[in-house]
Amino acid sequence: DVQVQFGKKEEGHRQALRTLRSLEDRCNQILRNMEASLTARDRVGIQDFVLLDPYTSESAFLDNLRKRFHENLIYTYIGTLLVSVNPYKDLGIYSKKQMDTYMGVNFFELPPHIYALADNVFRTMLSEFNNHFILISGESGSGKTEASKKILQFYAVSCPSTRLLNNVGDRLLLSNPVLEAFGNAKTLKNDNSSRFGKYMDIQFDYRGEAVGGHILSYLLEKSRVVHQNHGERNFHIFYQLVEGGEEDLLRWLGLERNCKNYRYLVQGDCAKVSSINDKSDWKTVRKALSVIDFSESDTEHLFAIIASVLHLGNLKFEADARGYATVKNYQELHWVSKLLGIPNQVLQQGLTHRKIEAKTEEVLSPFSVEHAVYARDALAKAIYGRTFNWLVNKINESLANQDSSRKMVIGLLDIYGFEVFSVNSFEQFCINYCNEKLQQLFIQLTLKSEQEEYELEGIEDEECLRPGEATDLTFLEKMEEKIGGHPHFVTHKLADKNTRKTLERGDFRLLHYAGEVTYCVVGFLDKNNDLLYRSGKEVMQHSKNAIIKHCFPSSEPDSKKRPETVVTQFKSSLVGLTEILMSKEPWYVRCIKPNEAKQPAKFDDVLVRHQIKYLGLMEHLRVRRAGFAYRRRYEIFLQRYKALCPDTWPNWKGTPEAGVRCLIKHLGYKTDEYKFGRTKIFIRHPRTLFATEDAFQVCKHQLATRIQAKYKGWRVKEDYLRQKEAATKIENCWRGLMARKERERRAWAVKVIKKFIKGFMTRNQPACIDNSEYLAYVRQNYLTRLKENLPKTVLEMGSWLTPPPIIKEVSELLQNIYIRYLVRQFVREITPQRKAQLLLKAQTSSMFKGKKESYPFSVCRPFVDTRIALEDINLKVRQTIQHEHIKYSVPVVKYDRNGFRPHLRQLIFTQEAAYLVEETKIKQRIDYSSLKGTK
């Protein structure tokens, strides 16, 4: 219709004008943002450290990080490595909208974000059909676990999905709160510290759909179950169960809602933490367990185990006459026995005796109290540790991919961060050893990756530079003997005079890549052995709890060899992990903690500088800058900067590489400032790129000005055509709308009238389709009228509206209810004086009703205390009778017998008699005692 009205030519003009208007709006936006674009680097820093000109300066690196942090820009790149600074507050940058923004966008096109890294890994995996992993590292409290969760959320939302695959995404996401509950705890540096290492594989099919997953766990800190340092907590799940568990569940488990009642929960003296909501987290865990295929039976057995550990921790021992350990509090033993399904006697014997083999027979050797406590704690650690492994395997079953065809994988490694406490023990030694190995792997893979890109692009090698009866004390002596000459190892014995003052006799100090750490050797051998007596295992094999039976199978070999130590197992796990990582393409997230107090907007230069150093960020930057600071694919570089050259603007007809060569020649790049690879251009210095970017911003301004000047004359005609077209369209639409509304209104009216007539005709018949709406209308109409005409008092109930037959019964019921309501309202509002009046009326009614002609007219008149005021009684009369207390007085008329002449009198009632008074004289006194009855 529009083309008929205006013609094809004008329609073409309008289309062109709309395009130009859109372009003009874009130009205006460019003009508004131009100044900000040119000065942003000074205010918010550089978003890729590779473009930092003094790249060897640690101070410049720190300054850039600080600038961005104070602008709430917590992410910065070093090439494809992401540096993340924990903001300790919600920045509102993780919404679904943010995910959509970063989905499918070139890695460096938008500001740095963890979603950009996750998306780039995903698209690289799909295009190259190979496996990748993201290594998330940093010290405790730097935000590693949160970074891992954000990546998982991005994949769960952004990947293609079906109903089946949505379930996989849900399970991947909900496995996190479960693992955090059982594997995380509050430490001095982090309220949600991972006390185990976690590697998660997310499996994708060739379309990029998440089809499965698998989790590997490393070195759970089992010692935390039985001991926590001051200011720390046990694993979250214990507090969640006690604080959030339902009353029936706690009763069944024999628990009380008070963490202070359990020895394993109070050693750190901080059961309550302001930043942790145990009740809310409990609900999250309960929901997550149901989603990831935990049956009701599994859940019951799991919580029974957690409760049994708490009861086990409360178990106390005392020495008998021979010095042997006996159980002191049998109530706790009873609960452990009940929850684990182990006979009481078997459990008691296993906790107080050790089985020893002597040649061909077995002998039970009783424990001392000290050994019994050790055996109890060892059993608690073993139960929790094996249950945690069962939990991970159970989650893996729910994430398992049923399709055996080849899958691509993205791995997420969230490993415990480097730890330095006031007292560092065996756990910190293992954790820091792990971090050392991963740092070596990081450097190795970084060099390998950089070298491979140069070789792939055909860049010469010279452009690449490379950066540079044993006891704890006898164990310490052995180390002094074996590695005493190493410059990174020192003990109290080996130290010089000044250093010796800072070391206890049981300490040794290691120089890690992250700095010096002093370890206390006390407890090393015990924690490394992690010894569980054979009798403890055998006791668990009697359990009827399905999970315990799985964790302590009767088929477990009863080897007499010493089991592998924790360090040996851990080293083997790390070797396996290294092999997994070496087989995949690496990506890195380096997390930094800005301050120790976990406060927002606080940037501790000394602390951050230390982390920059030990995370190897400067070394990584030097590797990236050893050759070329900037590299981009030809088509991306040409698309952004083609406006700088008249030969490439607005459209380049040749190959992207040829277009970039033409552009570079026009810009006058020096030959030592760039090199051409097979698919990318490599620019050596950041200043070269910044000069190009600034020229591009100026060019955008000039281009926008030219477009505005050239097409200014078109705007008037565009406005006229747009207004005319809009008016016509609005008129047509309005008329059509009115016609449609009128048609709909009439159709509705016909339908309603038909129904009303049919309902009226069948109103006296039983309810049916024909009269149901009419009868509903009758009911509603009656009730509405009744509401507007309700009687105000009980005496007006005769005015109650007469109901139609269909609602007669309901009307009677409502009438009775309303009468009761009015009566209750009347009773609530009545005063004590009014109540007394009514009681007198009732008494009078019993005397005079039916005996007095004027009774009906007197009912509504209230009684008064007297009808003659005291001052209206003659003073002389008043003085005569006042000792009898006047109760009531009333004026009366006496008529003569002859002529019936009226004479005014006063009838006065006192406490003792009735008086008839004429003016000043008492005409008659009648004593009440002389009255004998009525005639």
Side-chain angles (χ1 to χ4, degrees):
D1 291 341
V2 175
Q3 287 181 348
V4 171
Q5 212 166 15
F6 298 107
K8 292 184 178 179
K9 185 176 181 180
E10 290 189 350
E11 172 61 23
H13 287 165
R14 280 194 300 275
Q15 182 63 37
L17 286 169
R18 280 194 290 269
T19 303
L20 291 171
R21 187 57 178 267
S22 174
L23 186 58
E24 184 190 22
D25 290 342
R26 177 62 177 155
C27 291
N28 287 332
Q29 182 66 35
I30 291 171
L31 289 171
R32 285 193 296 270
N33 294 339
M34 179 184 168
E35 185 177 352
S37 298
L38 292 174
T39 60
R41 287 194 298 272
D42 295 330
R43 182 171 60 84
V44 301
I46 295 170
Q47 65 184 23
D48 189 341
F49 280 112
V50 171
L51 301 179
L52 193 67
D53 214 10
Y55 70 91
T56 58
S57 168
E58 193 175 272
S59 296
F61 190 103
L62 182 68
D63 182 60
N64 189 65
L65 205 61
R66 187 193 310 107
K67 281 181 181 179
R68 296 181 63 77
F69 176 77
H70 287 309
E71 292 291 332
N72 289 329
L73 300 171
I74 62 170
Y75 295 119
T76 312
Y77 293 137
I78 306 179
T80 56
L81 180 147
L82 181 68
V83 180
S84 170
V85 184
N86 193 337
Y88 293 121
K89 63 180 179 179
D90 183 11
L91 298 178
I93 58 173
Y94 302 107
S95 63
K96 173 66 165 60
K97 184 178 179 181
Q98 285 282 336
M99 294 184 187
D100 294 338
T101 300
Y102 280 89
M103 209 179 299
V105 178
N106 181 272
F107 186 58
F108 295 101
E109 188 174 329
L110 293 172
H113 200 290
I114 198 162
Y115 290 160
L117 179 83
D119 181 70
N120 202 33
V121 175
F122 178 72
R123 288 188 293 110
T124 305
M125 175 196 71
L126 286 182
S127 62
E128 298 178 1
F129 206 69
N130 58 358
N131 298 328
H132 296 253
F133 78 89
I134 302 173
L135 173 58
I136 305 171
S137 57
E139 77 171 58
S140 182
S142 59
K144 300 184 300 300
T145 300
E146 285 302 309
S148 175
K149 287 195 281 192
K150 299 306 178 191
I151 293 173
L152 268 180
Q153 289 168 359
F154 180 82
Y155 288 143
V157 171
S158 63
C159 296
S161 62
T162 62
R163 182 176 178 184
L164 172 64
L165 301 177
N166 276 336
N167 289 337
V168 172
D170 291 342
R171 290 172 184 174
L172 283 169
L173 284 176
L174 290 174
S175 65
N176 252 326
V178 175
L179 290 174
E180 283 186 17
F182 285 84
N184 288 26
K186 180 200 181 304
T187 64
L188 292 173
K189 295 194 173 186
N190 185 0
D191 290 350
N192 187 32
S193 177
S194 297
R195 307 317 298 164
F196 71 107
K198 180 180 70 176
Y199 175 78
M200 173 185 282
D201 268 339
I202 311 169
Q203 299 166 351
F204 300 88
D205 64 11
Y206 69 94
R207 292 178 299 243
E209 297 175 347
V211 293
H214 189 79
I215 298 170
L216 296 175
S217 64
Y218 300 94
L219 191 66
L220 177 72
E221 188 185 24
K222 292 186 294 185
S223 60
R224 183 170 293 272
V225 174
V226 300
H227 176 74
Q228 307 92 44
N229 294 326
H230 185 77
E232 298 192 347
R233 297 207 315 174
N234 209 322
F235 293 103
H236 293 324
I237 188 62
F238 292 109
Y239 305 91
Q240 291 171 5
L241 174 59
V242 173
E243 294 292 339
E246 299 78 8
E247 292 293 342
D248 289 346
L249 176 62
L250 294 183
R251 196 177 302 113
W252 179 70
L253 297 174
L255 298 178
E256 299 174 0
R257 200 179 297 283
N258 188 348
C259 293
K260 293 182 179 179
N261 292 345
Y262 302 100
R263 179 180 171 274
Y264 283 166
L265 303 186
V266 296
Q267 296 171 62
D269 196 24
C270 63
K272 299 277 189 181
V273 183
S274 60
S275 64
I276 299 175
N277 188 334
D278 291 311
K279 290 183 180 179
S280 174
D281 293 343
W282 167 260
K283 294 178 182 177
T284 302
V285 170
R286 287 284 271 178
K287 177 184 176 183
L289 289 172
S290 63
V291 172
I292 53 180
D293 284 353
F294 277 66
S295 67
E296 193 64 34
S297 175
D298 290 335
T299 306
E300 287 181 2
H301 289 148
L302 183 60
F303 294 151
I305 293 171
I306 301 304
S308 73
V309 172
L310 294 179
H311 286 299
L312 198 58
N314 282 2
L315 204 59
K316 297 178 181 178
F317 302 95
E318 60 184 359
D320 62 11
R322 295 174 296 174
Y324 299 148
T326 59
V327 174
K328 185 176 181 181
N329 47 346
Y330 281 92
Q331 184 63 22
E332 299 292 354
L333 185 73
H334 162 76
W335 279 111
V336 178
S337 170
K338 175 186 174 183
L339 294 171
L340 298 184
I342 300 173
N344 221 317
Q345 190 62 34
V346 173
L347 181 61
Q348 181 179 351
Q349 182 175 292
L351 290 169
T352 56
H353 291 76
R354 177 184 179 186
K355 189 176 288 187
I356 300 175
E357 287 193 5
K359 295 184 179 180
T360 59
E361 62 179 353
E362 293 182 340
V363 178
L364 286 176
S365 172
F367 284 142
S368 64
V369 171
E370 182 181 356
H371 277 98
V373 170
Y374 176 88
R376 177 201 65 192
D377 289 349
L379 184 60
K381 290 188 290 183
I383 289 173
Y384 193 85
R386 295 194 183 197
T387 301
F388 183 81
N389 292 336
W390 173 88
L391 183 73
V392 172
N393 292 332
K394 184 70 176 178
I395 293 174
N396 283 335
E397 288 176 12
S398 75
L399 297 176
N401 173 28
Q402 305 302 323
D403 187 354
S404 59
S405 59
R406 184 191 169 193
K407 298 293 179 290
M408 297 172 290
V409 166
I410 294 178
L412 281 178
L413 181 59
D414 175 12
I415 206 83
Y416 13 58
F418 193 87
E419 291 188 345
V420 184
F421 296 127
S422 56
V423 177
N424 301 286
S425 188
F426 179 75
E427 293 79 15
Q428 283 68 50
F429 181 78
C430 292
I431 287 170
N432 294 344
Y433 171 76
C434 173
N435 277 269
E436 286 278 3
K437 300 299 288 185
L438 290 175
Q439 179 68 5
Q440 292 173 12
L441 179 67
F442 164 66
I443 294 171
Q444 179 182 350
L445 291 177
T446 300
L447 288 170
K448 177 185 175 186
S449 171
E450 192 74 1
Q451 183 64 36
E452 284 178 350
E453 181 172 17
Y454 287 141
E455 291 174 357
L456 185 65
E457 292 292 332
I459 305 297
E460 295 297 327
D461 286 348
E462 68 265 19
E463 304 295 347
C464 312
L465 301 177
R466 298 175 183 271
E469 179 97 39
T471 65
D472 294 327
L473 291 179
T474 58
F475 166 67
L476 183 61
E477 291 170 0
K478 195 72 172 179
M479 286 198 295
E480 289 171 338
E481 177 187 332
K482 294 290 185 182
I483 57 174
H486 198 285
H488 293 172
F489 174 82
V490 66
T491 66
H492 184 275
K493 178 181 177 181
L494 300 175
D496 57 41
K497 184 177 180 180
N498 290 331
T499 305
R500 188 172 295 169
K501 294 177 181 178
T502 64
L503 290 169
E504 299 292 335
R505 293 189 180 277
D507 291 351
F508 67 94
R509 183 173 293 161
L510 292 179
L511 176 59
H512 290 279
Y513 72 95
E516 290 184 341
V517 180
T518 302
Y519 298 97
C520 177
V521 78
V522 176
F524 256 59
L525 295 188
D526 185 33
K527 292 176 180 178
N528 186 36
N529 290 332
D530 193 27
L531 182 62
L532 174 64
Y533 291 124
R534 185 157 60 96
S535 56
K537 291 182 184 178
E538 291 177 353
V539 167
M540 291 298 103
Q541 288 168 356
H542 284 83
S543 175
K544 294 179 181 178
N545 183 299
I547 298 176
I548 293 294
K549 289 174 71 174
H550 183 275
C551 294
F552 294 87
S554 56
S555 59
E556 182 174 337
D558 186 16
S559 174
K560 296 181 179 61
K561 296 181 180 178
R562 178 177 291 274
E564 283 189 336
T565 63
V566 172
V567 165
T568 303
Q569 297 174 40
F570 188 48
K571 285 177 66 177
S572 301
S573 299
L574 279 182
V575 170
L577 175 62
T578 303
E579 291 174 355
I580 292 172
L581 299 183
M582 290 295 287
S583 67
K584 296 178 173 62
E585 297 297 318
W587 302 77
Y588 305 101
V589 178
R590 291 299 207 221
C591 298
I592 290 178
K593 181 165 62 174
N595 61 78
E596 291 286 8
K598 296 176 276 192
Q599 294 179 355
K602 184 178 179 182
F603 193 90
D604 185 335
D605 284 16
V606 175
L607 178 65
V608 175
R609 187 187 295 270
H610 177 66
Q611 293 172 80
I612 290 171
K613 180 179 179 182
Y614 82 66
L615 286 172
L617 298 183
M618 294 302 297
E619 287 77 6
H620 186 79
L621 177 58
R622 291 189 189 104
V623 170
R624 289 300 307 263
R625 282 294 302 273
F628 297 91
Y630 177 87
R631 71 283 311 263
R632 286 292 184 276
R633 296 183 67 85
Y634 290 127
E635 54 268 28
I636 295 173
F637 188 85
L638 180 63
Q639 178 64 30
R640 181 164 185 81
Y641 298 117
K642 63 182 180 180
L644 297 177
C645 175
D647 294 332
T648 56
W649 175 259
N651 294 305
W652 174 255
K653 303 297 183 183
T655 64
E657 181 181 354
V660 173
R661 288 181 182 274
C662 178
L663 177 60
I664 292 299
K665 183 177 180 181
H666 177 78
L667 292 174
Y669 278 19
K670 296 179 181 179
T671 54
D672 64 341
E673 290 182 338
Y674 68 92
K675 276 191 179 292
F676 291 106
R678 293 187 176 90
T679 63
K680 298 178 183 178
I681 178 173
F682 291 76
I683 297 176
R684 185 181 301 279
H685 303 299
R687 60 178 176 271
T688 306
L689 178 67
F690 291 154
T692 306
E693 180 65 23
D694 292 344
F696 174 60
Q697 297 296 334
V698 174
C699 179
K700 284 199 295 185
H701 168 61
Q702 294 171 347
L703 178 62
T705 305
R706 288 202 305 270
I707 291 173
Q708 285 179 315
K710 184 174 181 180
Y711 296 107
K712 189 174 182 179
W714 287 67
R715 291 178 58 188
V716 176
K717 186 174 181 181
E718 177 202 11
D719 290 341
Y720 168 74
L721 292 174
R722 188 173 67 250
Q723 291 172 8
K724 188 174 181 180
E725 179 184 2
T728 304
K729 284 186 175 180
I730 290 171
E731 183 180 6
N732 291 339
C733 290
W734 178 255
R735 287 180 176 178
L737 177 64
M738 291 297 100
R740 286 190 296 274
K741 283 190 172 183
E742 179 63 19
R743 185 186 64 189
E744 292 171 0
R745 189 179 68 82
R746 291 185 179 187
W748 174 81
V750 169
K751 184 178 178 182
V752 170
I753 292 169
K754 282 182 178 180
K755 280 193 172 184
F756 190 88
I757 293 172
K758 188 175 285 189
F760 178 78
M761 295 171 64
T762 59
R763 66 187 182 281
N764 294 324
Q765 297 178 9
C768 62
I769 295 177
D770 292 336
N771 63 11
S772 59
E773 290 190 19
Y774 176 80
L775 295 178
Y777 165 75
V778 170
R779 294 188 192 96
Q780 183 180 355
N781 179 263
Y782 172 73
L783 293 174
T784 302
R785 288 188 297 113
L786 181 62
K787 175 185 175 184
E788 295 170 354
N789 296 279
L790 286 171
K792 298 294 186 293
T793 66
V794 177
L795 299 177
E796 298 175 8
M797 287 305 293
S799 65
W800 187 268
L801 291 181
T802 304
I806 189 69
I807 203 170
K808 185 175 181 180
E809 186 178 349
V810 173
S811 176
E812 292 174 356
L813 181 62
L814 288 174
Q815 190 173 8
N816 293 333
I817 292 173
Y818 190 64
I819 289 173
R820 288 199 297 272
Y821 163 74
L822 290 177
V823 171
R824 282 197 301 271
Q825 189 178 35
F826 179 78
V827 171
R828 279 198 299 268
E829 295 175 355
I830 194 169
T831 63
Q833 294 80 2
R834 180 65 174 154
K835 185 176 180 182
Q837 283 279 340
L838 289 175
L839 289 173
L840 285 174
K841 282 285 184 182
Q843 186 177 359
T844 307
S845 175
S846 65
M847 294 168 60
F848 296 108
K849 187 174 182 182
K851 299 178 182 178
K852 182 180 175 185
E853 289 184 11
S854 62
Y855 173 76
F857 303 102
S858 66
V859 169
C860 60
R861 296 175 61 190
F863 290 134
V864 294
D865 293 337
T866 183
R867 297 192 182 274
I868 300 176
L870 192 62
E871 59 269 18
D872 291 337
I873 300 174
N874 183 268
L875 179 62
K876 183 180 178 181
V877 173
R878 200 164 65 231
Q879 290 174 346
T880 303
I881 64 176
Q882 66 180 358
H883 65 282
E884 295 183 17
H885 301 295
I886 299 173
K887 292 296 183 180
Y888 182 77
S889 56
V890 61
V892 294
V893 179
K894 175 188 176 187
Y895 294 95
D896 287 344
R897 296 181 181 179
N898 299 318
F900 298 102
R901 203 154 45 106
H903 299 279
L904 292 177
R905 300 284 190 271
Q906 292 178 339
L907 182 61
I908 301 173
F909 295 93
T910 67
Q911 185 75 25
E912 300 175 1
Y915 292 88
L916 186 62
V917 178
E918 179 183 3
E919 294 182 357
T920 61
K921 294 188 299 182
I922 297 175
K923 302 289 289 182
Q924 188 176 1
R925 180 182 187 276
I926 303 171
D927 198 323
Y928 296 150
S929 60
S930 65
L931 296 175
K932 303 300 182 181
T934 60
K935 291 185 180 180

